[in-house]
Amino acid sequence: MIDQLLKYDTELFLFLNNLGSEFWDNLWLLITDKLTFIPLYAILLFLLYKKYGLKSLLVFVVVVALMITFTDQITNVFKRGFQRPRPCGEADLIDQMRFIAVRCGKYGFFSGHSSNSMAAAVFAGLMLKPYYKNLIFILLLWSAIVAYSRIYVGVHYPLDIVCGLTFGAISGFMFYKLGNYSLKRFIKI
């Protein structure tokens, strides 16, 4: 059963990855770059500061740093534990796919980009939902686009993406709860 699931995952990867074209490659490389969305993170922190104040912002910075560290490190534990090679590392696939990423990496299950972006989207979206009701939907869409970029550039299978998004959503919700608890405990909001 696992073999069949992995076969379908590979077939879906090849289909989605081969939808790309040279015309769009630079856009997707930009989307998949970790530094591209620093301005978005700065805007989200500014909105948190604007709605909750400076003391709360300090709590948010600590909680977000813990959240990203947590999702990133757990992703690495899974990658080392499962040791599923990335599609770009599979000799049987390299001639059938479009590999445009800067580097390949060794293992891919599950996607750190997916888990980190989804955790940030859920955390910020829920914290800001009382003030910006539709922001969470925009952030979830953004996270899905970042996740898809990993398939487009050839470094993750769809299952890596789905599991990363799921783990990120759970992590974002847990740290949202931690953020609310911290605000009530330390800032008295």
Side-chain angles (χ1 to χ4, degrees), residues 86-103:
R86 293 174 183 257
C88 51
E90 294 280 357
D92 297 345
L93 291 181
I94 201 69
D95 292 335
Q96 302 173 55
M97 62 179 276
R98 300 180 73 252
F99 174 61
I100 63 164
V102 176
R103 63 181 199 86

Side-chain angles (χ1 to χ4, degrees), residues 3-18:
D3 290 336
Q4 191 65 31
L5 178 64
L6 295 177
K7 181 180 179 240
Y8 290 143
D9 195 31
T10 300
E11 290 173 6
L12 183 58
F13 164 77
L14 288 171
F15 173 75
L16 294 171
N17 173 261
N18 281 298

Side-chain angles (χ1 to χ4, degrees), residues 55-160:
K55 288 181 183 178
S56 298
L57 178 63
L58 298 175
V59 170
F60 290 136
V61 168
V62 170
V63 170
V64 167
L66 290 171
M67 178 180 70
I68 297 303
T69 301
F70 174 75
T71 57
D72 202 48
Q73 293 309 306
I74 296 298
T75 298
N76 289 332
V77 167
F78 272 78
K79 285 179 181 178
R80 289 185 203 113
F82 282 93
Q83 296 186 354
R84 182 183 189 196
R86 293 174 183 257
C88 51
E90 294 280 357
D92 297 345
L93 291 181
I94 201 69
D95 292 335
Q96 302 173 55
M97 62 179 276
R98 300 180 73 252
F99 174 61
I100 63 164
V102 176
R103 63 181 199 86
C104 182
K106 195 168 185 176
Y107 302 123
F109 185 79
F110 50 85
S111 168
H113 278 73
S114 298
S115 63
N116 287 338
S117 65
M118 182 57 79
V122 169
F123 175 81
L126 290 175
M127 291 306 301
L128 292 167
K129 190 169 182 166
Y131 310 103
Y132 307 100
K133 292 182 185 201
N134 294 322
L135 179 62
I136 191 166
F137 301 111
I138 294 167
L139 293 174
L140 293 175
L141 176 63
W142 160 75
S143 178
I145 291 169
V146 169
Y148 173 74
S149 75
R150 306 306 286 164
I151 295 170
Y152 187 98
V153 300
V155 296
H156 280 292
Y157 292 101
L159 193 57
D160 302 343

